[in-house]
Amino acid sequence: SPDLEPRQGGHWTNYPGTALRRLSANFPGLLGVDVSIACDIPPASGMSTSSAIICAVFLAVNARNNLRERPEFKANISSEEELWEYLGCNENGQSFKGLVGDKGVGT
């Protein structure tokens, strides 16, 4: 939902929540997905797990909703490189071309 609010204190659930909020805003009318996340990498280890979560959530939502075929996607993202750049903007809150930004995760 575009109305998801981040939890205070940098909780890890802000990462999938941020991805879902942004995807819901940029691609209205999405079908829901069930996602399970498990990780044994130590917190703050510098392994980019936050970026991996953002990308994994996109992959799950795309698998259910075929985002790559949506007009909003085709009008703004024309290559794999641009997709990963968009997902970086998803994490940091910046807009990407015509896909409006929102609160990032604050990292």
Side-chain angles (χ1 to χ4, degrees), residues 27 72-79 82-83 86 96 99:
F27 305 99
E72 306 96 320
F73 189 100
K74 289 181 175 185
N76 292 284
I77 301 170
S78 60
S79 67
E82 286 190 346
L83 169 59
Y86 164 70
F96 182 80
L99 301 171

Side-chain angles (χ1 to χ4, degrees), residues 4-102:
L4 286 172
E5 286 297 326
R7 291 178 64 178
Q8 297 297 317
H11 196 267
W12 73 267
T13 58
N14 289 341
Y15 294 93
T18 292
L20 292 168
R21 184 180 63 244
R22 176 73 177 264
L23 291 171
S24 295
N26 291 163
F27 305 99
L30 296 177
L31 300 173
V33 296
D34 291 324
V35 177
S36 177
I37 298 172
C39 179
D40 61 359
I41 296 174
S45 64
M47 299 298 292
S48 298
T49 52
S50 58
S51 297
I53 289 172
I54 298 283
C55 294
V57 169
F58 168 82
L59 293 172
V61 171
N62 179 60
R64 173 75 194 253
N65 291 276
N66 203 14
L67 296 179
R68 294 172 188 255
E69 296 304 315
R70 301 236 348 213
E72 306 96 320
F73 189 100
K74 289 181 175 185
N76 292 284
I77 301 170
S78 60
S79 67
E80 286 297 306
E81 293 81 7
E82 286 190 346
L83 169 59
W84 306 119
E85 186 177 350
Y86 164 70
L87 293 175
C89 291
N90 186 312
E91 185 172 354
N92 67 31
Q94 295 180 10
S95 294
F96 182 80
K97 296 186 179 183
L99 301 171
V100 177
D102 190 17

